[in-house]
Amino acid sequence: MAEVVAVIASTHHPFYYRANTATGEDRPPFADEWVRKVMAFRETLTRARPDVLVMVGSDHFHQLWLDNMPQFLIGKAPYYDANFYNEEREFGLPRMVCRGQEDLSAHLLREGLDAGFDLAFSNELRIDHSITCPIITLRPQNDLPIVPVYTNIFAPPLPRPKRFVQLGRAIREMVESWPSDQRVAIIGTGHLSLELGGPRQFGPHGPDPEFDRKAVEWISSGDIEGCLAEVTLDSLHLPGNATHGFMDFMLMMGVAGDGRKADYVDTYDLFHTMEAYFTWFPDGGGRS
Amino acid sequence: MSKYLLNKFLFTVDRDPELVERYRAEPRATVEWWEGAYANRILGCHEGESSTWLGFDDVEREALASHDYPRLFELGAHPFLILTLFIAMFERDHPPLGFQTEYARRLGHVRLPYPDIAT
Protein backbone atom coordinates (compact mmCIF):
# COMPACT_ATOMS: atom_id res chain seq x y z
CA MET A 1 0.00 0.00 0.00
CA ALA A 2 1.04 3.61 -0.50
CA GLU A 3 2.80 5.39 2.33
CA VAL A 4 2.01 8.91 3.51
CA VAL A 5 5.48 10.31 4.08
CA ALA A 6 4.56 13.93 4.86
CA VAL A 7 1.50 16.00 5.69
CA ILE A 8 2.02 19.68 5.03
CA ALA A 9 -0.24 22.68 5.61
CA SER A 10 0.49 26.29 4.83
CA THR A 11 -0.90 29.60 3.75
CA HIS A 12 -0.71 30.45 0.04
CA HIS A 13 0.46 34.05 -0.13
CA PRO A 14 0.33 34.87 -3.85
CA PHE A 15 2.97 37.62 -3.57
CA TYR A 16 5.77 35.22 -2.54
CA TYR A 17 6.82 34.51 -6.13
CA ARG A 18 7.18 38.20 -6.91
CA ALA A 19 8.97 38.93 -3.61
CA ASN A 20 11.38 36.05 -4.17
CA THR A 21 12.25 37.04 -7.74
CA ALA A 22 12.40 40.82 -7.22
CA THR A 23 15.81 42.49 -7.25
CA GLY A 24 17.29 45.88 -6.37
CA GLU A 25 14.84 48.58 -5.38
CA ASP A 26 11.91 46.34 -6.33
CA ARG A 27 12.81 43.80 -3.64
CA PRO A 28 10.70 44.37 -0.51
CA PRO A 29 12.49 44.57 2.85
CA PHE A 30 10.76 41.46 4.17
CA ALA A 31 11.74 39.28 1.18
CA ASP A 32 15.06 37.85 2.40
CA GLU A 33 13.65 36.53 5.68
CA TRP A 34 10.57 35.23 3.87
CA VAL A 35 12.74 33.32 1.39
CA ARG A 36 14.86 31.92 4.24
CA LYS A 37 11.76 30.61 5.98
CA VAL A 38 10.36 29.11 2.79
CA MET A 39 13.65 27.36 2.02
CA ALA A 40 13.63 25.77 5.50
CA PHE A 41 10.00 24.76 5.03
CA ARG A 42 10.82 23.29 1.60
CA GLU A 43 13.44 21.04 3.17
CA THR A 44 10.72 19.28 5.16
CA LEU A 45 9.13 18.05 1.93
CA THR A 46 12.44 17.27 0.27
CA ARG A 47 13.47 15.17 3.26
CA ALA A 48 10.34 13.01 2.92
CA ARG A 49 11.29 11.97 -0.65
CA PRO A 50 7.75 11.87 -2.04
CA ASP A 51 6.78 10.36 -5.39
CA VAL A 52 3.31 11.92 -5.61
CA LEU A 53 1.68 15.06 -4.18
CA VAL A 54 -1.99 15.28 -3.19
CA MET A 55 -2.68 19.01 -3.29
CA VAL A 56 -5.64 20.46 -1.36
CA GLY A 57 -6.70 23.97 -2.27
CA SER A 58 -9.61 26.15 -3.34
CA ASP A 59 -10.39 27.72 -6.69
CA HIS A 60 -10.79 31.48 -6.31
CA PHE A 61 -13.55 31.94 -8.92
CA HIS A 62 -11.16 31.05 -11.70
CA GLN A 63 -12.49 27.94 -13.41
CA LEU A 64 -15.27 27.16 -10.96
CA TRP A 65 -18.22 29.51 -11.04
CA LEU A 66 -21.65 30.06 -9.50
CA ASP A 67 -23.44 28.38 -12.41
CA ASN A 68 -22.05 25.02 -11.30
CA MET A 69 -20.24 25.12 -7.97
CA PRO A 70 -18.97 21.89 -6.44
CA GLN A 71 -18.29 21.62 -2.71
CA PHE A 72 -15.45 19.09 -3.04
CA LEU A 73 -13.81 18.23 -6.35
CA ILE A 74 -10.98 15.90 -7.36
CA GLY A 75 -8.98 16.57 -10.49
CA LYS A 76 -8.54 13.51 -12.72
CA ALA A 77 -6.44 14.51 -15.70
CA PRO A 78 -3.04 13.60 -17.12
CA TYR A 79 -1.93 17.25 -16.94
CA TYR A 80 -3.06 20.46 -15.28
CA ASP A 81 -2.34 23.82 -16.79
CA ALA A 82 -1.99 26.44 -14.11
CA ASN A 83 -2.55 30.04 -13.18
CA PHE A 84 -4.95 32.45 -14.79
CA TYR A 85 -4.63 35.78 -16.55
CA ASN A 86 -5.80 37.74 -13.52
CA GLU A 87 -3.23 35.97 -11.29
CA GLU A 88 -0.47 36.84 -13.74
CA ARG A 89 -1.76 40.41 -13.83
CA GLU A 90 -2.12 40.92 -10.08
CA PHE A 91 0.54 38.67 -8.57
CA GLY A 92 3.05 38.18 -11.38
CA LEU A 93 2.57 34.40 -11.27
CA PRO A 94 3.96 32.37 -14.17
CA ARG A 95 2.10 29.95 -16.42
CA MET A 96 2.79 26.38 -15.34
CA VAL A 97 1.91 22.81 -16.29
CA CYS A 98 1.74 20.06 -13.67
CA ARG A 99 1.61 16.35 -14.41
CA GLY A 100 -1.32 14.38 -12.98
CA GLN A 101 -1.52 11.00 -11.25
CA GLU A 102 -4.77 9.60 -12.62
CA ASP A 103 -4.61 6.26 -10.81
CA LEU A 104 -4.58 7.97 -7.43
CA SER A 105 -7.28 10.40 -8.59
CA ALA A 106 -9.49 7.47 -9.60
CA HIS A 107 -8.82 5.74 -6.29
CA LEU A 108 -9.76 8.82 -4.26
CA LEU A 109 -12.94 9.31 -6.28
CA ARG A 110 -14.11 5.70 -5.99
CA GLU A 111 -13.22 5.32 -2.31
CA GLY A 112 -14.48 8.79 -1.45
CA LEU A 113 -17.87 8.17 -3.04
CA ASP A 114 -18.12 4.84 -1.25
CA ALA A 115 -17.23 6.54 2.03
CA GLY A 116 -20.16 8.96 1.70
CA PHE A 117 -18.51 12.02 0.14
CA ASP A 118 -20.33 13.14 -3.02
CA LEU A 119 -17.18 14.19 -4.81
CA ALA A 120 -17.24 16.09 -8.08
CA PHE A 121 -14.51 15.47 -10.62
CA SER A 122 -12.87 17.31 -13.49
CA ASN A 123 -11.03 15.90 -16.50
CA GLU A 124 -9.89 19.37 -17.61
CA LEU A 125 -8.90 21.47 -14.62
CA ARG A 126 -6.80 24.60 -14.70
CA ILE A 127 -5.40 25.04 -11.21
CA ASP A 128 -4.88 28.36 -9.49
CA HIS A 129 -2.57 29.86 -6.89
CA SER A 130 -3.99 27.85 -4.00
CA ILE A 131 -2.12 24.89 -5.51
CA THR A 132 0.62 26.59 -7.53
CA CYS A 133 1.87 28.66 -4.58
CA PRO A 134 2.84 25.54 -2.62
CA ILE A 135 4.41 24.08 -5.77
CA ILE A 136 6.48 27.26 -6.03
CA THR A 137 7.43 27.29 -2.34
CA LEU A 138 7.82 23.55 -1.68
CA ARG A 139 8.70 21.93 -5.02
CA PRO A 140 9.74 24.62 -7.48
CA GLN A 141 11.23 22.06 -9.88
CA ASN A 142 7.62 20.89 -10.37
CA ASP A 143 8.80 17.35 -11.14
CA LEU A 144 6.19 15.27 -9.28
CA PRO A 145 2.71 14.23 -10.39
CA ILE A 146 -0.17 15.74 -8.45
CA VAL A 147 -3.77 15.05 -7.52
CA PRO A 148 -5.66 18.33 -7.00
CA VAL A 149 -8.41 18.35 -4.37
CA TYR A 150 -10.55 21.48 -4.42
CA THR A 151 -12.83 22.60 -1.60
CA ASN A 152 -15.42 25.37 -1.55
CA ILE A 153 -14.43 27.97 1.05
CA PHE A 154 -15.55 30.82 -1.16
CA ALA A 155 -19.15 30.67 -2.39
CA PRO A 156 -21.90 30.21 0.25
CA PRO A 157 -23.48 27.88 1.15
CA LEU A 158 -20.29 26.23 2.38
CA PRO A 159 -19.81 22.84 4.00
CA ARG A 160 -19.41 23.08 7.78
CA PRO A 161 -15.97 22.88 9.44
CA LYS A 162 -16.62 19.38 10.74
CA ARG A 163 -17.09 18.15 7.17
CA PHE A 164 -13.66 19.47 6.21
CA VAL A 165 -12.13 17.57 9.12
CA GLN A 166 -14.03 14.42 8.14
CA LEU A 167 -12.83 14.69 4.54
CA GLY A 168 -9.26 15.16 5.74
CA ARG A 169 -9.44 12.00 7.83
CA ALA A 170 -10.92 10.15 4.86
CA ILE A 171 -8.22 11.38 2.46
CA ARG A 172 -5.55 10.06 4.82
CA GLU A 173 -7.23 6.65 4.98
CA MET A 174 -7.85 6.53 1.23
CA VAL A 175 -4.26 7.39 0.33
CA GLU A 176 -3.02 4.71 2.72
CA SER A 177 -5.34 2.17 1.08
CA TRP A 178 -4.08 2.95 -2.44
CA PRO A 179 -2.59 -0.28 -3.83
CA SER A 180 0.75 1.20 -4.81
CA ASP A 181 4.29 1.38 -3.52
CA GLN A 182 4.37 5.16 -4.02
CA ARG A 183 5.41 7.62 -1.33
CA VAL A 184 2.72 10.29 -1.04
CA ALA A 185 2.86 13.75 0.49
CA ILE A 186 -0.49 15.40 1.25
CA ILE A 187 -0.21 19.18 1.03
CA GLY A 188 -2.98 21.68 1.70
CA THR A 189 -3.16 25.43 1.81
CA GLY A 190 -5.63 27.77 3.43
CA HIS A 191 -5.94 31.07 5.22
CA LEU A 192 -5.49 32.31 8.77
CA SER A 193 -7.35 35.56 9.49
CA LEU A 194 -7.82 37.28 6.16
CA GLU A 195 -9.88 40.15 4.75
CA LEU A 196 -10.28 40.58 1.00
CA GLY A 197 -12.39 43.35 -0.48
CA GLY A 198 -13.46 44.71 2.91
CA PRO A 199 -12.55 47.51 5.33
CA ARG A 200 -9.99 45.46 7.30
CA GLN A 201 -7.86 44.49 4.30
CA PHE A 202 -4.17 45.25 3.76
CA GLY A 203 -3.33 46.39 7.26
CA PRO A 204 0.16 46.10 8.77
CA HIS A 205 -0.73 42.60 10.06
CA GLY A 206 -3.50 40.11 9.47
CA PRO A 207 -6.91 41.44 10.52
CA ASP A 208 -7.08 39.35 13.72
CA PRO A 209 -3.69 38.44 15.29
CA GLU A 210 -5.43 36.84 18.27
CA PHE A 211 -7.29 34.43 16.00
CA ASP A 212 -4.01 33.71 14.22
CA ARG A 213 -2.33 32.90 17.53
CA LYS A 214 -5.12 30.48 18.49
CA ALA A 215 -5.19 28.96 15.01
CA VAL A 216 -1.47 28.24 15.03
CA GLU A 217 -1.85 26.61 18.45
CA TRP A 218 -4.78 24.43 17.30
CA ILE A 219 -2.94 23.30 14.18
CA SER A 220 0.48 22.75 15.75
CA SER A 221 -0.97 20.75 18.66
CA GLY A 222 -3.50 18.81 16.57
CA ASP A 223 -6.33 20.09 18.77
CA ILE A 224 -9.18 19.26 16.42
CA GLU A 225 -11.82 19.12 19.13
CA GLY A 226 -10.78 22.45 20.63
CA CYS A 227 -10.82 23.99 17.19
CA LEU A 228 -14.23 22.55 16.30
CA ALA A 229 -15.60 23.79 19.63
CA GLU A 230 -14.79 27.39 18.70
CA VAL A 231 -14.92 27.54 14.90
CA THR A 232 -18.23 27.70 13.06
CA LEU A 233 -19.33 29.07 9.71
CA ASP A 234 -20.68 32.12 11.59
CA SER A 235 -17.63 32.63 13.81
CA LEU A 236 -15.26 32.64 10.82
CA HIS A 237 -16.73 35.96 9.66
CA LEU A 238 -15.29 37.69 12.74
CA PRO A 239 -11.52 37.42 12.04
CA GLY A 240 -11.94 38.61 8.43
CA ASN A 241 -14.30 38.01 5.53
CA ALA A 242 -11.98 35.50 3.80
CA THR A 243 -11.14 33.51 6.93
CA HIS A 244 -13.35 30.61 5.84
CA GLY A 245 -10.20 29.45 4.08
CA PHE A 246 -9.13 28.32 7.54
CA MET A 247 -11.34 25.28 6.95
CA ASP A 248 -8.69 23.95 4.58
CA PHE A 249 -6.28 24.03 7.52
CA MET A 250 -8.91 22.10 9.48
CA LEU A 251 -9.05 19.56 6.64
CA MET A 252 -5.29 19.16 6.95
CA MET A 253 -5.60 18.67 10.71
CA GLY A 254 -7.91 15.80 9.86
CA VAL A 255 -5.27 14.39 7.50
CA ALA A 256 -2.58 14.71 10.18
CA GLY A 257 -4.68 13.10 12.89
CA ASP A 258 -6.34 13.96 16.21
CA GLY A 259 -3.86 15.11 18.81
CA ARG A 260 -0.96 14.80 16.38
CA LYS A 261 1.56 17.55 17.09
CA ALA A 262 3.24 19.08 14.06
CA ASP A 263 6.91 18.19 13.68
CA TYR A 264 7.70 21.55 12.07
CA VAL A 265 6.02 24.89 12.78
CA ASP A 266 6.96 28.34 11.56
CA THR A 267 5.15 31.63 11.03
CA TYR A 268 5.95 34.98 9.48
CA ASP A 269 4.02 38.12 10.37
CA LEU A 270 3.56 40.06 7.14
CA PHE A 271 1.39 42.96 6.12
CA HIS A 272 -2.12 41.86 5.18
CA THR A 273 -1.85 38.31 6.56
CA MET A 274 0.19 35.95 8.74
CA GLU A 275 2.13 33.26 6.92
CA ALA A 276 2.16 29.84 8.61
CA TYR A 277 3.96 26.59 7.78
CA PHE A 278 3.34 23.16 9.33
CA THR A 279 4.74 19.70 8.58
CA TRP A 280 3.92 16.34 10.10
CA PHE A 281 6.08 13.27 9.45
CA PRO A 282 3.92 10.18 9.99
CA ASP A 283 7.04 8.06 10.54
CA GLY A 284 8.15 10.51 13.22
CA GLY A 285 11.14 12.00 11.50
CA GLY A 286 10.87 11.98 7.74
CA ARG A 287 14.04 9.94 7.48
CA SER A 288 12.67 6.69 6.10
CA MET B 1 -31.95 42.28 -6.83
CA SER B 2 -29.49 39.82 -8.35
CA LYS B 3 -26.22 39.33 -6.49
CA TYR B 4 -25.56 36.52 -8.92
CA LEU B 5 -25.68 38.84 -11.93
CA LEU B 6 -23.49 41.45 -10.22
CA ASN B 7 -20.96 38.71 -9.59
CA LYS B 8 -21.30 37.46 -13.18
CA PHE B 9 -20.47 40.92 -14.50
CA LEU B 10 -17.40 41.22 -12.25
CA PHE B 11 -16.29 37.66 -13.04
CA THR B 12 -16.60 37.90 -16.82
CA VAL B 13 -15.06 41.36 -17.10
CA ASP B 14 -12.16 40.54 -14.77
CA ARG B 15 -10.98 37.58 -16.87
CA ASP B 16 -10.91 39.49 -20.17
CA PRO B 17 -8.11 42.07 -20.48
CA GLU B 18 -9.97 43.98 -23.22
CA LEU B 19 -13.11 44.23 -21.10
CA VAL B 20 -11.11 45.37 -18.06
CA GLU B 21 -9.82 48.35 -20.07
CA ARG B 22 -13.20 49.01 -21.62
CA TYR B 23 -14.92 49.04 -18.24
CA ARG B 24 -12.25 51.35 -16.82
CA ALA B 25 -12.58 53.83 -19.69
CA GLU B 26 -16.32 53.69 -20.42
CA PRO B 27 -18.12 52.13 -17.46
CA ARG B 28 -21.65 53.17 -18.31
CA ALA B 29 -21.44 52.11 -21.94
CA THR B 30 -19.76 48.84 -20.99
CA VAL B 31 -22.46 47.97 -18.47
CA GLU B 32 -25.17 48.76 -21.02
CA TRP B 33 -23.48 46.62 -23.68
CA TRP B 34 -22.81 43.77 -21.24
CA GLU B 35 -26.37 43.63 -19.99
CA GLY B 36 -27.66 43.34 -23.54
CA ALA B 37 -25.05 41.01 -24.97
CA TYR B 38 -23.64 39.01 -22.09
CA ALA B 39 -25.90 38.89 -19.02
CA ASN B 40 -27.94 35.92 -20.22
CA ARG B 41 -25.09 33.97 -21.77
CA ILE B 42 -24.60 30.66 -19.99
CA LEU B 43 -20.89 30.06 -19.76
CA GLY B 44 -20.11 26.82 -21.58
CA CYS B 45 -23.26 26.92 -23.75
CA HIS B 46 -23.57 28.42 -27.22
CA GLU B 47 -25.57 31.60 -27.62
CA GLY B 48 -28.63 29.78 -28.91
CA GLU B 49 -28.99 28.27 -25.44
CA SER B 50 -28.79 31.49 -23.44
CA SER B 51 -31.03 32.28 -20.47
CA THR B 52 -33.97 34.64 -20.96
CA TRP B 53 -34.56 36.30 -17.61
CA LEU B 54 -31.46 37.95 -16.16
CA GLY B 55 -31.16 41.72 -15.77
CA PHE B 56 -29.94 44.35 -13.32
CA ASP B 57 -32.22 46.52 -11.26
CA ASP B 58 -31.65 50.29 -11.38
CA VAL B 59 -29.54 50.37 -8.20
CA GLU B 60 -27.24 47.59 -9.37
CA ARG B 61 -26.86 49.08 -12.84
CA GLU B 62 -25.97 52.49 -11.42
CA ALA B 63 -23.44 51.05 -8.95
CA LEU B 64 -21.64 49.28 -11.78
CA ALA B 65 -21.93 52.23 -14.19
CA SER B 66 -20.44 54.64 -11.62
CA HIS B 67 -17.61 52.31 -10.45
CA ASP B 68 -19.16 52.57 -6.98
CA TYR B 69 -17.40 49.66 -5.30
CA PRO B 70 -18.54 50.51 -1.75
CA ARG B 71 -22.11 50.27 -3.04
CA LEU B 72 -21.36 46.94 -4.74
CA PHE B 73 -20.04 45.67 -1.39
CA GLU B 74 -23.22 46.88 0.35
CA LEU B 75 -25.34 45.13 -2.29
CA GLY B 76 -23.69 41.81 -1.43
CA ALA B 77 -21.48 41.35 -4.47
CA HIS B 78 -18.61 39.00 -3.70
CA PRO B 79 -15.78 41.08 -2.17
CA PHE B 80 -13.03 39.02 -3.82
CA LEU B 81 -14.47 39.72 -7.27
CA ILE B 82 -14.91 43.42 -6.52
CA LEU B 83 -11.38 43.75 -5.18
CA THR B 84 -9.67 41.86 -7.98
CA LEU B 85 -11.34 43.77 -10.80
CA PHE B 86 -10.98 47.20 -9.19
CA ILE B 87 -7.30 46.55 -8.44
CA ALA B 88 -6.88 45.72 -12.13
CA MET B 89 -8.48 49.00 -13.13
CA PHE B 90 -7.15 51.46 -10.58
CA GLU B 91 -4.02 50.15 -8.85
CA ARG B 92 -2.01 51.79 -11.65
CA ASP B 93 -3.15 55.24 -10.48
CA HIS B 94 -1.76 54.87 -6.94
CA PRO B 95 1.54 54.18 -5.18
CA PRO B 96 2.17 50.55 -4.15
CA LEU B 97 -0.76 49.27 -2.03
CA GLY B 98 -2.25 52.75 -2.26
CA PHE B 99 -5.44 51.64 -3.96
CA GLN B 100 -5.90 48.72 -1.56
CA THR B 101 -5.68 51.02 1.48
CA GLU B 102 -7.91 53.61 -0.20
CA TYR B 103 -10.44 50.84 -0.86
CA ALA B 104 -10.37 49.86 2.83
CA ARG B 105 -10.76 53.50 3.87
CA ARG B 106 -13.81 53.99 1.65
CA LEU B 107 -15.40 50.96 3.31
CA GLY B 108 -14.42 52.16 6.79
CA HIS B 109 -18.03 52.78 7.76
CA VAL B 110 -18.93 49.11 7.34
CA ARG B 111 -19.47 47.11 10.53
CA LEU B 112 -20.02 43.42 11.13
CA PRO B 113 -22.05 41.58 10.09
CA TYR B 114 -21.11 42.39 6.50
CA PRO B 115 -23.77 42.12 3.79
CA ASP B 116 -24.72 38.55 2.98
CA ILE B 117 -22.87 37.33 -0.13
CA ALA B 118 -24.85 34.11 -0.56
CA THR B 119 -26.40 33.85 -4.02
Side-chain angles (χ1 to χ4, degrees), chain B residues 62-81:
Chain B
E62 183 59 29
L64 288 171
S66 58
H67 283 162
D68 189 348
Y69 57 84
R71 189 73 183 117
L72 293 172
F73 182 94
E74 291 163 359
L75 291 170
H78 199 292
F80 183 86
L81 293 170

Side-chain angles (χ1 to χ4, degrees), chain A residues 108-130:
Chain A
L108 293 183
L109 282 164
R110 181 69 269 157
E111 296 298 312
L113 290 165
D114 293 346
F117 294 91
D118 297 328
L119 301 170
F121 67 91
S122 173
N123 295 146
E124 187 181 6
L125 187 67
R126 188 177 189 95
I127 53 180
D128 81 356
H129 72 268
S130 67

Side-chain angles (χ1 to χ4, degrees), chain B residues 1-2 5-6 8 18 22 26-28 33 39 52 64 66-67 70-71 78 88 93-94 116 119:
Chain B
M1 191 176 82
S2 173
L5 196 63
L6 284 177
K8 187 175 179 180
E18 184 182 335
R22 192 167 154 190
E26 298 179 312
R28 194 166 297 277
W33 165 83
T52 58
L64 288 171
S66 58
H67 283 162
R71 189 73 183 117
H78 199 292
D93 301 328
H94 295 76
D116 181 13
T119 49

Side-chain angles (χ1 to χ4, degrees), chain A residues 145-213:
Chain A
I146 69 168
V147 174
V149 178
Y150 265 157
T151 70
N152 176 22
I153 51 92
F154 216 61
L158 309 179
R160 295 198 184 277
K162 186 175 182 180
R163 193 61 169 163
F164 282 76
V165 173
Q166 290 170 336
L167 180 59
R169 289 173 179 146
I171 287 172
R172 174 70 177 269
E173 292 174 7
M174 293 188 289
V175 170
E176 290 180 333
S177 73
W178 183 35
S180 162
D181 59 358
Q182 300 279 285
R183 298 166 62 83
V184 183
I186 305 172
I187 300 168
T189 68
H191 308 147
L192 298 182
S193 74
L194 182 63
E195 178 102 338
L196 293 170
R200 294 175 288 173
Q201 71 176 14
F202 286 92
H205 309 281
D208 191 338
E210 176 56 20
F211 175 85
D212 294 344
R213 187 193 62 75

Side-chain angles (χ1 to χ4, degrees), chain A residues 184-265:
Chain A
V184 183
I186 305 172
I187 300 168
T189 68
H191 308 147
L192 298 182
S193 74
L194 182 63
E195 178 102 338
L196 293 170
R200 294 175 288 173
Q201 71 176 14
F202 286 92
H205 309 281
D208 191 338
E210 176 56 20
F211 175 85
D212 294 344
R213 187 193 62 75
K214 286 199 293 186
V216 170
E217 177 60 26
W218 287 324
I219 299 165
S220 59
S221 63
D223 185 8
I224 294 175
E225 293 311 312
C227 184
L228 282 171
E230 286 199 42
V231 173
T232 67
L233 288 179
D234 286 338
S235 79
L236 285 170
H237 289 286
L238 303 177
N241 69 347
T243 311
H244 289 84
F246 180 65
M247 293 192 293
D248 280 336
F249 272 116
M250 298 179 76
L251 187 155
M252 296 309 298
M253 291 168 73
V255 174
D258 295 72
R260 184 67 170 77
K261 289 184 167 53
D263 296 296
Y264 181 91
V265 179

